[in-house]
Each structure stands twice: as C-alpha cells, then as structure tokens.
Amino acid sequence: MRSASHDPFASTSQALGRARERRKERAGGGSVKQRPSAARRGLEEEEPDEDLQRPSQARKDSSKESGSEPAAIPSRANRSSHKPSQQQPPPPAESSQRSSKHSSSKDKSSKKSHTSSKPLPSSAPKEGNKTLDHLPPGFRERPEQADPVLYYLPRLLSKTNNNNTDNDEEVLLDLPSLLNAAQDDVRLHRGRVQAGLKKDTRLIRTYTLEKDPNYQERQTRLEERLTMVQDMANDSPDILGKLQEDKASVKGKTQAEMAQMHLLHWQQALEVYVHCPPALLSETGGNTINDEVKKELDWSTLFEKLLDGIPEDQDISMILAQASDMCKGLVKQCKTFVKDASQNVSDMEASYRIRLQAHTEFARHSLQVVGQIEDQFKRSGRAALQIGQQLEHAELKRSQCEAASVLIRRWWALETLAEAEENSEDGMEINVMDEVCGNLPQDDCQMDALYTAPENSLEASRTLKQLRAVVRSKGNAAATGTASKAVLHDKAAQRRFDLTSSLIRRTSEALEQRLLGTFELVYQEGGGAYDFSAKPRPGSMDWRELRSLAQALLLFDSGRNLHSRYVDMVVQSRFPELFHHNSQASTPKNRADAEFNMDATRSKLSNLFHRVTDVCTAEFELIAYVFGSTSHAHGEAHGGRSNEASGSEEMALIVARALLQRVISDPHNGLQARINDLLSSIDRVGDFDAGAKKLDTFVVIHEKAAGLFALLKDAADRMIPQDLNESNTSIHSTTYLAARNAVDSLKGFLTSQELALSNTHRQGYINLELRLLHHQCCSSLDIAGCTLVKAPPRRPDKALVEKGILEEYKAPILPLHKPSLAKTGYSGILAGPLKQSVLRQPLIHATDSLARARLMFGTNKHDTTTARVILSIYNQTCNFYGQGFLYPIMEALKEMLPRNPPGQVPPLPFNEEEEAPDLGVNSGFWVSLERVHSASKSFDRELWAENRDGSHRVWEILNVCGDETSLSVAREFRVNFYTELERRGETAILSALDTLSTHIQWVLVSGGESILAAGGTRIFNTLTGQSGGPYAIPAGSSLETPNSPAIKSIVYCLRVQFVHVQAALTSASLASFWTALSMRLYDIVVARLLQHYTVSTVGAVILSRDVEALRSVSMLAGTEHSHWDMLRELVTLYMTPPDAIKTMLVGPDGDASKGLFSKTGRDTALVFLSRRNDYRYKTAAGMKKSSWVTDMLSELSMSDPSDGGNVNVSSFAAGRKHM
C-alpha cells in the first residue's frame, strides 16, 4: 500500500473532503452561500416538497374553493398514436364541438400547430386506485426510456368538459390548476420509473425525491464536483506554475522524493486539464488564465512535462505506471459524473414534456375563448352601431326643428315690424341704416337688438342669410311644397311676404355696411403692424376682431364686397408708388435726359419689386389668419372660425388671388402696366444704345420678377397653420388637405401670373437680342474698315402677320466684300478683319447675349424655352462668324494667290543674303491662316466650351436644360461651321500648293535651262544630237558648284517658306502639306529628267547632289518620302560603267532582291537608264542605240520601254507604285 502522501488520487480526495466540510457548515446553520445554477443542480428547483406529499384530490378541492373550474380542453392523448391500455377510460368530449362557427384563423393555426407535435399518452382509468397500482408496459421493459403517461392532467380536462356540458355557463381553466395536475403526473412518472427499475409497484404511491437515497447521493456528487471545479479554476495558475518550476533548485530532497513531488504536481495539472479546460474557464466566467497557461493545457505538452521532471537515473516505468493509475481513476470519476448528469437530464426532459403539455392545453383553450369573445363582440358591436346611428339621426332632426322654430319666430318679428311700418300714420319708413349702424340711440330703435347691437353681428348675419334663403325660395314648388303655394295665392299673404322681404333686404344692406365700416376702421388703426402671437404687442392690428368681422361678412354674397373693400384698402394704403403715381410719362428732351430718367425709373422699379414682396408676404399671413377657413372643431380649439361661406374654393385663396390680380395686372397702375411704361420710355430714344439699355432692363425686370414670385410662393406655403402641419387626427388631416390644395391652387395662380408677366416681353426680348447682336457684330467689322455686302431684303411671313404673331428675327447674312479684301492685300487683312481685337469683338457680344438670356429665362430642368433662345443665339453667331466673316476671308486668301508664274526669267542663283522670293505664296497668307485657325479655336472655346463646368456657355446651358433635341441641333450647327471652314481652308492650302508647284517649275525650267542657252554645253548638244539639260556635262569638265543653280535656289526658297508654313499649320496639317509638296517637287524634277534631260557621268554627280538637297528639304516635315530614296538608287545608273549596269539591274550574284528591277521596277529602271548620254548616238539615219545597250537587252530578253520616244511620265509619279 502507498502512503497518503504518494496517493495519486490525493488531490481529488482532498477536494472532495473540502466540499463535504462546506456542506456540513451550510447544514449547521452557517452563512448560506449562493446555490449553484439550475443547469448544474439537476432537478432541485423541481422538487415539490409539499405538492408531492399532497394527494391530487386535495389539490382539486383547493382549486374548486379558490375559484371556478377551468373550461375543458381536449386531451392531446386522444389524438395520440399509441394504443390505450384496457384500463383507459373513453376520451373526454372535444371542446371544439362547442366552438363557434366563426372562429378566427388564429385559433385554427394554433390548433394546427398543436396537432403537429407528438402528444403524450394518457392513462386515466375509471377508478384511481387501480391506476396507482398499475404499471404500463413501457415501464416494465425499459423504464428509464419510457415516455410519460399522463393521468391527473387528462382527468382534470375530462372533469371540466363534463361540468361545461351539464352547466349552461362555461367554466374556464386556469393555469395554476393545470400546472398542479402536471406536477402530480411528474411525481407519478418518477414513481413508475422507480417501480419498473425495482420491480415494486408500491413505489408508484410512496416514491418521492426526498426519500430517494440514490437521487440524494447523485445531487451530492454533482455539488461536490461543482465545488471542486471552482477550486481548480481558482488554483489553476498556481498549479501550472508549480509544474513549470525547476525541481533541481529544491534542496534537502532525494531524487525519489523530487520525482514523487513532480508526479504530484503533474497529477494536479492533469486534473485541471480534465475538469476545467480553457474553454470552460472562459465561458463560465471563472478566473481567466493567460495565453502561456492555455498553451500548457495540452495533452502532448503535459506528457512532455511528465518526462522532463523525472531524473535520468529513475525508473521511468514506475512513473508511467503511477501516471496510468491516475488517468484510470480520472476516467472512472468522469464516468460517474457523466452518468449522474445523464440521469438528471432524462428526469428533467420528462418533467419538461409534462409541463409543456399543460401549457399547450392552456394556450389552446385560451385561443378558443378569445375566438368566442371576438364573435360575441362583433355581434354586439353591430347592434350598438345601429343604435348610435339612430340616435345621431334623431339628434339631427331635433336640432333642425329647433333651428326652424327660431327662424320662424324671427320671421314673424320682422313681418310684424314691416306691417307696422306700412300701417303707420305718418307713412314714414323705419330708418334701418341709422338704427343698424348705431347712429340712433338704442332706446329710439324699432329694430330688434339682434340687428342693432354690435356684439350680435355674427348671429344676425347668420339669421339674415337664412331669411334671404327663404325669400329666394318663393315660387319654388320643390322647396315650398303644396301648402306654401296655396298660401302664396292669398293676396294678403303675398303682400306681407313682399313687405317682409323688403325689410330683410334693407336690414342686410345696413348690417353689411356697418361691418365693412368697422372692418376698415380696425384695419386702418393697425397701421400695418402685424403680430399673430398669443400676446400681441401694443399698437399692433387686432386681427382677432378682423377675423370675427370677416366671419360675419362672408355670409353676405360669399364676401364679395369684403374682398373688394380689403383689396382697395391694401393697394391704397400699402402701395402709394403704384396707385398714387402719375402714369403719363413726358417725352425726354434730349438723349442725356432720356438716359437719366430711364436709370431713375429702373431704380424705382427695383424698389417697387421689393415693396410688393414685403407687403404681399405680410398680407398673405394676415389673410391666412383672417380669411382662412378651418373645421369647426379646429376653430373652437384654436380660435379659428368655421367655414360659413359656400363655394368650392377657400376664401383665403379667393382674397389672395384678388389682391395679386389687382397689384400685378391692374390695367392702369399694376406692376405689369408700370413695366410697359418703362419699356415704352426706352423705345422713344430709338437708337441701338437704347436697345442695349432695354435688354438690360428686360434682364433686371425678369430677374426681380423671378425672385418676387419665388418669395410669394414661399409666403403662400406659410399660409397653412403650423398646428395643422403637426396634427395627426383625422379631422385635422382633412383640414390640412383642404388647406394644402388651396395653397397649391394659389401657387398655380402665381405661376400663371409670372408667365403672363414674362411671356409678354419674351418674344420682344428675343427679337431685340438677336437684332442687337447682329448689329454689334457688323458694327465691329465696319469700325475695322471692312466693306460688307448688302443682303437682299427678306419677305415677312404673311401667315404669321395675319394671325398677329410676332415673327422671330432672322439676321441677314452680310458677308465681307472679297474684292475689297484682295485690294487691301495681306497687310490690310491682318490689320483689319484679322486683327486680334476685331476677332474677339463678336465673341464678346455673343457671350454677353448668352449671359442675358440665361438670366432672362433661367436654366431650369426641361426648360425648352431657354434652350430655344440659346440655340437661336448660337446659330446666328455661327452664321455671322462663318458665312459673314471667316468664310469670305478664306475665299479671298485663295483668290489672292497668283495662278501663273511671272513672265521674266528668274535671276539664278538667288542671293541668300537678301530676302528669299516667296514662290508666289506671300508670308502674309500663312499668317492669315494662323489667325483664322486661332479665331476658330477661340470661337469654340468662348461659345461652346464643352465639359467646362461653370462656364455658362452654350453646351453647359443646354445640358442643364436637358433638351436633347436642342443640344443635337447645336452640335450640328457646330459641326457644319467647322466643316465648311475646314473645307475652305483646305481649298486655300491646295491653291497655295499649286502656286508653289508652278513657281518651282518656273524656276527649274525658265531659270535653270536659260543658263544653258549658250556656251560649250550648246556645242556638245549639237554634236550629240541631244537636248542635253543641266546634267549633260561633257567629260573632263570641272565641277564649279556642288548643285545646279535652279535646285539651289528652290531649296533656299523652300526652307524659308517652311518657317511660315510651320507657324500657320498644325503638326498633322503640316505633315500632310509638306508630303504633298515633296511629291509635287519629285514629279516636276522627274518629268523634266525623263522628257528633256540627258545625264553624263560628270552630270550624274551634280544630279546626285541635287537629289540629296531636294530630299533634305523634303524631310523637314512629313513621313512619306520613299520616292526620293528610289530616285537616289536610280541616279547610280548614270555613274556606272556600261559593263556593270546589268549587274546593278538584276542584282549581284543572281540575288534579284538587291537589283534595281526588284527595288524600283523593270520599266522604271530601263526608262531612267535610257536618259544616259551614251545610251544612243547620232547617225545619218537618226538616233541609234549603243551596242552595249543592244547586247544587254538581248541578254535580259527584254524590250526597251523608251522606244518610240513616247514615255508616259505620269506612270512614274511619286504617288504611284512602280513595278
């Protein structure tokens, strides 16, 4: 036997001992600690100490005493798939048979969900004693896995169903009774399980958890394990720290004792690893351990630690045997804990299923009761609704009868007064006006106080409105009925009716006049100071009094006189600038007076716009408070008034519209009339400066008008009371919708007034803008000294004239006079129309027009009007800048180029120290082209400005307006402008190319060949019978110059010309132009060479130098110059001896790719070869080929393409491919 100190289970035993001690302390009355959680205590929360001892019958009796029995719920055991035992009673009656036909869908869905789950079987025999002595078959074979068989819960449901069947009133089930029955079934199930395990049916009656020693031991073991785990979790850092200590540092211990100490520490670490791993520590909220300790809690690491702590001289097998015993003990202990936990879970599952059945039955029964209550509520609610409607109808009839009774009495009072007036002795009428207006004392008045007292104004107005309705109904058979018609046929009754109606009319007129006078007096006393707060400041207008007066006045002809009087008061008191102003403007005496008066009037009009905005904003708020119609409930709660006026529109809308109509559209003093006066005063001056002023005035007026109407629309939005916006009740929401519709209608009216104000002058503005733009552009050219061609007169559109429609202005095309441009020369063109300031001036005028149009019409989305105006301005500018300006200049530049060279012979070579000849194309031509190109770019940059945000040019304005059609048309105008300009530019450049070509040929032919007209060359040509040319130099002649004079002069002139061309054209255009010039130069030289020149061996050297010079000047620009390389190859034919020519043609060593036939073509090589001066010689019979030529052709088996002297020079041009 091992000692206790070396016992491998010592730590576990110690932990269990500590747990026992703590339990004894708690049992002895010590401080009670918090019990473990229900998840680890098993079924302690479910132990019914008293309920398990109490019989089920006593529990039922207590439930009866506490209240009524619950309603019956059908047992789920009735729908079970298990077969009931022979002792089971018949199932209780289904409560669904008593359910209503109108059960809710919620009840049906709940029943469906209940039936979908598997119910528990029931065992409820007729006699309870037999049930307590009976053990179902499932508990006999496998009691621990048997499903619970209910007894008390189905019996409670069955009893409740029977009571509901016998009694008329249904008994409701309560949840405590169901839970008590379920608890009895839980105790019964536990007794059956123990009876099945121990084969003793007496345990069904006597078994309780408190008396079960196995259960108590199991719970004790689980508590002890929980305490042990908590202690280990607290001590785990120390345990792992001791395991990692160096055992060699311990003194006074033998190696065996050190090994046993290490084994003890390793055992403690192993128990920590098994009972409280890192995941358990982190999840249960125990003491946290660091990352290093977590790494140590690994089986492989623990095993390594076991071996590391054993000295080398110790027997490792003994250590491993002890470790194996430790592991076996831990496995046995864990197996016991797992078995205890599984038994607890099994018992808890059965208890949960039984209680769940009780809750399910209670929920199903509650749903049935709720459905029955809902059906009963629906039946009772319909009857209550019908009774309420009948009461409302009766109340309405009663109030109508009372109102009719009061009205009849008041009619009789006026009828009596009218008869008294008619039958008076003096025959004087009652002074109704003075009595009602308060001019007479109250004691002297014959009228009723209802009509004479000011405090009764509203009630008197309502009464008079009803009386007037009675008067108007006279003779209406549908309204008066047969009895009324019979009375009216009586002459006395007819006479009384007429007298009464006359008195009613006079009283109504007098009362209305009194109310209008009071309304005007209160408005004037306010002085325009409005304060609509709860406590108005002193001196402000009494708007509440105005509202009460307006409420009464709206009962007289829907308030028409009130509207007219109110508008008159506003315009007379708040707009003296408009309605107290002498509108007859005097004609200015001179231009200075006209400008001064116009500027002053514009300033005054600007102030007037601000005045209209301020006044209308304030009056709109007053109109909303005084005339705004709300519901009766809202009027009582918030001090408002009910809508007494008839009609479909709100009174506030009618008043606001009348005010705006008067202020804006008054024919004599309105805002629109004042604008027309201003524009008429500008038209009296009659010059173009006045047109510019008028355009500026248009912009100012419409800019101010846009701001005015925007502010007025905001003021209209504020006419809706704030409390209506914040209210959510049905009454207030209906009132809010009515007020919202009224405000929207007013805003629509404001929009129509704005369009009427702006559209009146927009067409005139467009025509004036286009006319002034055309005048300014043409005037800038006239000031620059240009001559314009008069355009033919346009015929007006008769169809538009007959309709009275102002035709849109279309500017005539006044192009520059091309002969005048040609007469002034290049210097005149550059100093005149192509001057930078002149080129910019039309663009400045066009941008000003765009800015005015943008301010005039705005840049709203989907605004086609603005897009149309911008498109008209851009189209007119394109026409002027193209057809009237740049196109004629380009055509004049083309026509100014000479078509033929000079008649005299050029003095060659040209002196390079002097200015080089221009070869027919003056430098001013290229400068003019550069100016035109710069102007075209400025035109696009200043007017079109694509993708330049914030530029406010054509592209941006049209893009903002969103009119894709106008944008497409504008793009087409732009493309047409540049297409035509490019076409005319190309034509002018091609003319310049033709001029350069003719002058090059003139220098080469007239200049170069005239030098050869005398001297030794002429004698040589006579002897050989050939024309010769500059390269037919006899052998032995000295080479005085490296190049021929003509080629040298041409190269010099072209280099000077290149500087001007490069400055005028773009890189792409320069390359194309210079490539074409290179080909033209090649064609001229080759044509003279093949038709008129012969080349000697000495002349070939000069020819080679000339070709290099021409190639050099051609390479200044362009990319395609391969024709000069081919000519360089062909010139070598003139330097080669006759015996080596065949090798050059076919290639050395039979390599055809290196021969001239392959590089230049067979015919080309032979034709160029024929220009050798030794190719033919002169005989008496004529020109004859040399022998080496004949032999070479026969060896090559080729014919001579130059025979006959008719060589097609065009086939050797630079643009053709040679074969």
Side-chain angles (χ1 to χ4, degrees):
M1 295 294 292
R2 297 171 183 168
S3 61
S5 60
H6 301 290
D7 186 4
F9 300 101
S11 60
T12 305
S13 301
Q14 294 173 3
L16 293 175
R18 289 193 298 270
R20 292 191 189 97
E21 292 176 359
R22 284 192 292 272
R23 292 182 69 253
K24 291 178 180 180
E25 292 177 359
R26 291 196 299 269
S31 59
V32 180
K33 297 182 180 179
Q34 185 178 2
R35 302 181 66 183
S37 60
R40 298 185 179 181
R41 285 169 44 216
L43 299 174
E44 287 184 352
E45 287 187 351
E46 301 178 2
E47 296 179 2
D49 297 338
E50 297 180 0
D51 291 345
L52 289 176
Q53 301 297 330
R54 184 178 57 187
S56 59
Q57 185 63 32
R59 191 179 301 112
K60 295 175 185 177
D61 296 339
S62 64
S63 64
K64 292 180 180 179
E65 294 174 0
S66 61
S68 60
E69 294 186 0
I73 299 177
S75 174
R76 295 173 61 96
N78 297 333
R79 296 189 299 273
S80 174
S81 60
H82 298 282
K83 295 180 65 177
S85 61
Q86 296 177 358
Q87 298 178 358
Q88 290 180 349
E94 293 287 342
S95 60
S96 59
Q97 297 176 358
R98 300 189 308 272
S99 61
S100 174
K101 295 182 179 180
H102 303 283
S103 60
S104 61
S105 60
K106 181 178 179 182
D107 191 9
K108 296 179 181 179
S109 62
S110 64
K111 291 180 180 179
K112 184 178 181 181
S113 63
H114 292 324
T115 57
S116 63
S117 62
K118 182 179 179 181
L120 296 177
S122 62
S123 177
K126 296 181 179 179
E127 297 181 3
N129 294 332
K130 293 182 179 181
T131 300
L132 297 179
D133 296 336
H134 171 72
L135 187 64
F139 292 89
R140 300 171 187 171
E141 299 173 357
R142 303 174 64 183
E144 293 181 347
Q145 300 180 2
D147 292 334
V149 179
L150 304 181
Y151 168 70
Y152 292 102
L153 185 61
R155 189 172 68 173
L156 175 62
L157 298 176
S158 177
K159 183 178 179 181
T160 305
N161 291 337
N162 294 334
N163 292 336
N164 291 335
T165 304
D166 298 337
N167 301 329
D168 295 335
E169 297 182 358
E170 186 175 0
V171 180
L172 298 178
L173 275 176
D174 58 343
L175 185 60
S177 300
L178 292 172
L179 292 179
N180 291 334
Q183 190 62 36
D184 289 342
D185 283 328
V186 170
R187 186 196 58 79
L188 180 62
H189 174 73
R190 291 170 180 167
R192 287 171 175 173
V193 173
Q194 295 298 325
L197 291 174
K198 298 180 180 180
K199 308 300 181 180
D200 187 2
T201 57
R202 292 176 298 176
L203 293 176
I204 299 176
R205 292 174 175 270
T206 62
Y207 177 78
T208 58
L209 289 178
E210 291 82 356
K211 297 179 181 180
D212 188 357
N214 295 331
Y215 174 77
Q216 298 297 333
E217 292 177 1
R218 186 169 69 240
Q219 296 303 114
T220 302
R221 287 194 298 270
L222 289 176
E223 287 184 1
E224 291 175 353
R225 180 185 180 278
L226 179 61
T227 305
M228 180 186 65
V229 170
Q230 290 179 351
D231 293 341
M232 285 184 180
N234 296 329
D235 300 338
S236 59
D238 297 335
I239 293 173
L240 295 177
K242 292 179 181 179
L243 182 64
Q244 294 177 357
E245 290 180 354
D246 186 7
K247 303 300 185 297
S249 61
V250 181
K251 297 181 180 181
K253 298 285 186 180
T254 63
Q255 291 185 354
E257 292 175 346
M258 293 172 58
Q260 292 299 326
M261 183 187 299
H262 178 71
L263 186 61
L264 177 61
H265 293 163
W266 184 83
Q267 177 191 359
Q268 294 176 353
L270 178 63
E271 291 175 352
V272 172
Y273 171 74
V274 172
H275 291 293
C276 49
L280 182 60
L281 291 177
S282 60
E283 292 177 359
T284 58
N287 295 335
T288 59
I289 55 179
N290 54 28
D291 296 337
E292 295 181 358
V293 176
K294 289 183 179 180
K295 294 179 181 178
E296 296 298 334
L297 291 178
D298 181 76
W299 172 248
S300 61
T301 306
L302 285 176
F303 190 72
E304 292 177 2
K305 291 292 183 182
L306 173 64
L307 299 179
D308 291 342
I310 305 301
E312 296 180 356
D313 55 352
Q314 289 290 326
D315 186 5
I316 194 172
S317 61
M318 183 180 296
I319 302 299
L320 293 178
Q322 295 178 5
S324 175
D325 294 339
M326 295 177 187
C327 294
K328 290 179 180 178
L330 283 177
V331 169
K332 182 178 180 180
Q333 186 182 20
C334 293
K335 183 178 179 181
T336 303
F337 290 151
V338 170
K339 182 178 180 181
D340 293 342
S342 63
Q343 291 177 356
N344 272 357
V345 169
S346 177
D347 198 0
M348 291 173 63
E349 180 185 4
S351 302
Y352 172 76
R353 293 179 61 187
I354 294 173
R355 290 188 177 90
L356 180 62
Q357 182 71 20
H359 283 278
T360 302
E361 296 295 339
F362 178 74
R364 186 159 59 87
H365 176 72
S366 300
L367 289 176
Q368 292 177 355
V369 173
V370 169
Q372 295 173 3
I373 294 174
E374 183 181 1
D375 295 338
Q376 184 179 2
F377 174 76
K378 290 180 179 179
R379 291 192 298 268
S380 301
R382 295 190 188 96
L385 181 61
Q386 293 177 358
I387 294 172
Q389 291 176 351
Q390 292 175 1
L391 290 175
E392 289 181 358
H393 183 70
E395 180 65 22
L396 178 62
K397 291 295 184 182
R398 186 190 65 78
S399 60
Q400 290 178 353
C401 291
E402 290 181 356
S405 175
V406 173
L407 183 62
I408 290 173
R409 288 196 299 270
R410 290 175 178 173
W411 174 275
W412 286 343
L414 288 177
E415 186 179 37
T416 303
L417 188 60
E419 289 182 351
E421 178 186 20
E422 180 67 19
N423 298 328
S424 61
E425 297 178 357
D426 52 3
M428 295 182 62
E429 294 183 352
I430 299 175
N431 195 351
V432 177
M433 183 64 69
D434 291 339
E435 290 186 8
V436 174
C437 293
N439 298 331
L440 296 178
Q442 188 69 26
D443 297 336
D444 297 339
C445 294
Q446 302 181 34
M447 301 288 294
D448 191 278
L450 175 66
Y451 309 106
T452 58
E455 60 272 11
N456 299 329
S457 298
L458 181 58
E459 184 63 25
S461 300
R462 291 173 179 170
T463 301
L464 289 174
K465 180 180 179 181
Q466 295 172 353
L467 294 176
R468 290 194 301 271
V470 174
V471 172
R472 286 194 300 270
S473 65
K474 175 186 176 182
N476 188 353
T480 59
T482 307
S484 299
K485 290 191 292 182
V487 172
L488 291 177
H489 285 301
D490 186 2
K491 293 184 179 180
Q494 180 67 32
R495 175 175 169 276
R496 289 195 306 271
F497 188 88
D498 294 339
L499 293 175
T500 306
S501 62
S502 176
L503 182 59
I504 292 172
R505 177 182 53 78
R506 288 185 293 153
T507 306
S508 299
E509 293 175 356
L511 182 59
E512 184 178 14
Q513 292 299 321
R514 187 189 75 187
L515 294 175
L516 288 174
T518 308
F519 187 92
E520 183 175 0
L521 181 62
V522 174
Y523 183 85
Q524 292 176 355
E525 289 177 353
Y530 302 150
D531 186 3
F532 302 100
S533 60
K535 295 181 179 180
R537 62 180 181 272
S540 60
M541 184 177 294
D542 189 0
W543 60 271
R544 291 184 176 86
E545 180 65 21
L546 289 179
R547 183 181 60 195
S548 61
L549 294 172
Q551 184 177 358
L553 284 169
L554 289 176
L555 298 172
F556 295 95
D557 196 13
S558 299
R560 286 186 175 86
N561 294 329
L562 173 62
H563 303 163
S564 178
R565 180 70 64 88
Y566 171 74
V567 172
D568 290 339
M569 289 189 300
V570 172
V571 298
Q572 294 295 333
S573 61
R574 308 298 297 277
F575 292 108
E577 300 90 344
L578 283 176
F579 295 89
H580 294 165
H581 179 76
N582 186 11
S583 60
Q584 295 180 356
S586 59
T587 304
K589 298 180 180 179
N590 50 42
R591 182 185 183 87
D593 293 341
E595 292 181 355
F596 174 79
N597 293 336
M598 181 175 57
D599 294 338
T601 305
R602 289 175 57 193
S603 178
K604 186 181 298 183
L605 188 59
S606 179
N607 295 332
L608 183 60
F609 274 113
H610 292 289
R611 179 67 175 169
V612 171
T613 302
D614 297 339
V615 172
C616 290
T617 301
E619 294 301 323
F620 280 176
E621 192 172 7
L622 178 64
I623 290 171
Y625 277 91
V626 174
F627 299 97
S629 60
T630 58
S631 64
H632 181 70
H634 182 269
E636 294 294 333
H638 302 278
R641 61 174 179 82
S642 59
N643 189 10
E644 300 286 350
S646 60
S648 59
E649 292 182 304
E650 290 285 339
M651 287 299 112
L653 170 63
I654 298 174
V655 178
R657 179 180 294 181
L659 178 61
L660 292 173
Q661 187 78 22
R662 182 73 178 277
V663 173
I664 296 174
S665 303
D666 188 89
H668 301 290
N669 299 314
L671 195 61
Q672 189 169 357
R674 189 56 49 83
I675 293 173
N676 293 334
D677 293 341
L678 171 61
L679 297 177
S680 300
S681 64
I682 298 175
D683 291 337
R684 296 189 185 99
V685 179
D687 56 1
F688 282 97
D689 292 336
K693 294 286 186 179
K694 188 173 183 179
L695 288 177
D696 294 339
T697 306
F698 270 128
V699 174
V700 170
I701 290 173
H702 287 272
E703 183 180 7
K704 296 293 183 180
L708 167 66
F709 285 99
L711 294 175
L712 292 179
K713 291 177 183 178
D714 293 339
D717 285 329
R718 292 194 294 270
M719 292 178 67
I720 301 178
Q722 187 66 25
D723 50 6
L724 285 183
N725 289 325
E726 299 175 354
S727 178
N728 294 324
T729 61
S730 59
I731 297 177
H732 288 180
S733 61
T734 305
T735 306
Y736 172 77
L737 291 177
R740 181 75 264 174
N741 294 334
V743 170
D744 292 340
S745 179
L746 179 59
K747 291 170 68 175
F749 175 74
L750 286 171
T751 302
S752 64
Q753 290 294 315
E754 182 180 6
L755 294 177
L757 180 64
S758 57
N759 290 339
T760 305
H761 309 292
R762 279 187 172 182
Q763 189 62 41
Y765 162 81
I766 296 173
N767 289 341
L768 181 59
E769 182 67 69
L770 297 177
R771 187 183 298 274
L772 183 63
L773 175 62
H774 180 67
H775 165 74
Q776 290 174 340
C777 293
C778 294
S779 178
S780 62
L781 296 182
D782 183 63
I783 294 174
C786 301
T787 304
L788 304 179
V789 179
K790 184 178 181 181
R794 290 182 65 254
R795 294 182 179 180
D797 191 347
K798 295 182 179 180
L800 295 178
V801 173
E802 293 176 355
K803 296 178 181 180
I805 301 176
L806 182 62
E807 185 178 0
E808 183 176 347
Y809 175 75
K810 294 182 180 179
I813 304 299
L814 304 179
L816 293 174
H817 192 245
K818 291 183 286 186
S820 299
L821 294 175
K823 186 177 181 180
T824 57
Y826 295 107
S827 60
I829 293 176
L830 294 174
L834 292 183
K835 192 176 181 180
Q836 293 294 341
S837 60
V838 179
L839 290 171
R840 288 195 303 269
Q841 202 64 33
L843 302 181
I844 294 174
H845 298 318
T847 53
D848 292 342
S849 297
L850 291 176
R852 282 193 296 265
R854 185 175 61 87
L855 293 175
M856 180 74 180
F857 294 91
T859 54
N860 299 324
K861 197 69 175 176
H862 305 295
D863 190 354
T864 58
T865 304
T866 304
R868 183 174 61 86
V869 175
I870 297 299
L871 186 63
S872 300
I873 295 175
Y874 185 65
N875 182 29
Q876 179 173 309
T877 308
C878 289
N879 291 336
F880 169 79
Y881 219 68
Q883 300 179 30
F885 191 14
L886 297 183
Y887 295 172
I889 293 177
M890 295 302 298
E891 294 174 357
L893 292 176
K894 170 181 171 293
E895 294 175 359
M896 289 170 64
L897 294 173
R899 299 179 180 178
N900 299 315
Q904 66 274 15
V905 177
L908 298 181
F910 295 140
N911 187 2
E912 297 185 2
E913 296 181 357
E914 298 178 356
E915 184 179 359
D918 56 10
L919 297 180
V921 181
N922 192 283
S923 60
F925 174 84
W926 301 110
V927 176
S928 300
L929 283 183
E930 190 274 333
R931 295 275 182 88
V932 172
H933 182 258
S934 177
S936 65
K937 292 194 296 184
S938 299
F939 178 81
D940 192 66
R941 182 177 60 254
E942 296 296 331
L943 288 185
W944 184 253
E946 187 168 355
N947 294 326
R948 280 175 53 195
D949 295 335
S951 61
H952 303 305
R953 296 299 188 262
V954 174
W955 180 85
E956 184 182 15
I957 297 174
L958 294 180
N959 196 31
V960 170
C961 292
D963 190 356
E964 296 295 334
T965 303
S966 299
L967 188 60
S968 301
V969 174
R971 290 184 187 275
E972 185 178 356
F973 290 157
R974 176 171 174 261
V975 170
N976 292 339
F977 170 78
Y978 283 101
T979 301
E980 286 297 319
L981 184 61
E982 184 178 1
R983 185 181 64 81
R984 286 173 168 81
E986 290 177 355
T987 303
I989 292 173
L990 289 177
S991 298
L993 182 63
D994 294 339
T995 301
L996 289 175
S997 301
T998 55
H999 281 72
I1000 288 172
Q1001 188 168 6
W1002 167 66
V1003 172
L1004 183 64
V1005 176
S1006 300
E1009 297 180 2
S1010 64
I1011 301 177
L1012 307 176
T1017 306
R1018 181 178 61 82
I1019 298 174
F1020 175 79
N1021 293 338
T1022 304
L1023 295 176
T1024 58
Q1026 299 176 358
S1027 61
Y1031 307 110
I1033 302 175
S1037 300
S1038 61
L1039 300 176
E1040 298 177 355
T1041 58
N1043 299 101
S1044 62
I1047 298 300
K1048 181 180 180 181
S1049 301
I1050 291 173
V1051 170
Y1052 169 61
C1053 294
L1054 289 179
R1055 288 187 179 275
V1056 175
Q1057 192 73 229
F1058 176 78
V1059 177
H1060 303 297
V1061 177
Q1062 186 180 22
L1065 302 181
T1066 61
S1067 58
S1069 300
L1070 176 64
S1072 300
F1073 176 79
W1074 208 251
T1075 300
L1077 181 61
S1078 172
M1079 292 182 178
R1080 292 281 187 96
L1081 183 59
Y1082 173 85
D1083 294 342
I1084 292 172
V1085 172
V1086 169
R1088 297 301 299 178
L1089 175 63
L1090 297 181
Q1091 288 182 340
H1092 303 284
Y1093 296 164
T1094 58
V1095 184
S1096 62
T1097 304
V1098 178
V1101 177
I1102 303 297
L1103 178 60
S1104 177
R1105 294 173 180 176
D1106 289 346
V1107 171
E1108 285 295 331
L1110 294 175
R1111 180 179 177 275
S1112 175
V1113 75
S1114 299
M1115 294 290 289
L1116 292 176
T1119 56
E1120 183 58 36
H1121 301 292
S1122 59
H1123 45 277
W1124 291 111
D1125 297 332
M1126 185 183 66
L1127 185 58
R1128 291 169 62 189
E1129 296 286 343
L1130 294 172
V1131 169
T1132 57
L1133 292 173
Y1134 306 122
M1135 303 179 185
T1136 307
D1139 55 350
I1141 290 178
K1142 178 182 177 184
T1143 303
M1144 290 188 62
L1145 294 176
V1146 299
D1149 300 331
D1151 189 359
S1153 61
K1154 297 181 180 179
L1156 289 179
F1157 283 168
S1158 175
K1159 295 179 180 179
T1160 63
R1162 185 183 60 184
D1163 293 343
T1164 302
L1166 293 177
V1167 170
F1168 273 86
L1169 180 63
S1170 66
R1171 304 314 299 173
R1172 286 176 62 107
N1173 61 349
D1174 58 350
Y1175 191 84
R1176 292 182 177 87
Y1177 61 93
K1178 187 177 182 181
T1179 62
M1183 301 300 296
K1184 187 177 180 182
K1185 296 179 182 178
S1186 300
S1187 59
W1188 62 270
V1189 176
T1190 306
D1191 296 340
M1192 180 189 67
L1193 293 175
S1194 14
E1195 291 177 1
L1196 295 175
S1197 302
M1198 296 181 181
S1199 59
D1200 188 0
S1202 63
D1203 288 344
N1206 296 325
V1207 177
N1208 187 7
V1209 180
S1210 62
S1211 60
F1212 304 99
R1216 296 177 63 90
K1217 294 183 179 180
H1218 307 291
M1219 298 300 295

